[in-house]
Amino acid sequence: MACRSGCLTQDHESWGDCLRASNIQMSTGDANSELVGNGWTNKKWDNELKLYRDARAQGIQPEGTSTAKIRKAMDVSDKTGHAFGSAL
C-alpha cells in the first residue's frame, strides 16, 4: 500500500497514482497577487517599511513597527524636539 494518509480508498498502486486520483489542484496562491502576509497589499507594506526606515534615519526608535506606533513616535519627537526612544 503506497497511498497518501488522506486517501479514502487506500487501494492505489503507487503514491503518484493516489495523488492523481485525489484530483488535488495546485496553484501559486497569493504569490502572483498584490497581497502579502495578513492580506496587506504590497503598496501598504512598502509604505509602512519606508515610514519606519525614515523614522530610524532621524534617530527615532518607535515602540513597534506598526504605522500607528511609528507616527506616535514621530509626533512625540516633533513636540519634544528630540528623537523619541533615543538616549539623551
Side-chain angles (χ1 to χ4, degrees):
M1 183 176 354
C3 288
R4 305 170 300 112
S5 61
C7 180
L8 299 176
T9 61
Q10 295 289 318
D11 63 353
H12 298 96
E13 289 185 30
S14 70
W15 187 87
D17 287 340
C18 179
L19 186 63
R20 282 185 287 280
S22 71
N23 225 6
I24 291 177
Q25 302 212 359
M26 305 297 283
S27 72
T28 57
D30 288 336
N32 290 334
S33 74
E34 284 293 313
L35 296 178
V36 291
N38 298 328
W40 283 28
T41 63
N42 282 327
K43 186 174 181 180
K44 183 176 178 184
W45 181 267
D46 290 342
N47 287 340
E48 189 166 87
L49 287 177
K50 182 182 181 322
L51 184 64
Y52 183 79
R53 200 175 305 119
D54 291 346
R56 293 298 294 133
Q58 296 173 39
I60 299 170
Q61 178 60 60
E63 292 177 332
T65 58
S66 69
T67 299
K69 289 182 179 181
I70 299 166
R71 291 203 185 282
K72 178 184 172 189
M74 293 177 96
D75 290 343
V76 170
S77 297
D78 287 342
K79 289 176 185 173
T80 61
H82 71 315
F84 180 86
S86 67
L88 295 176

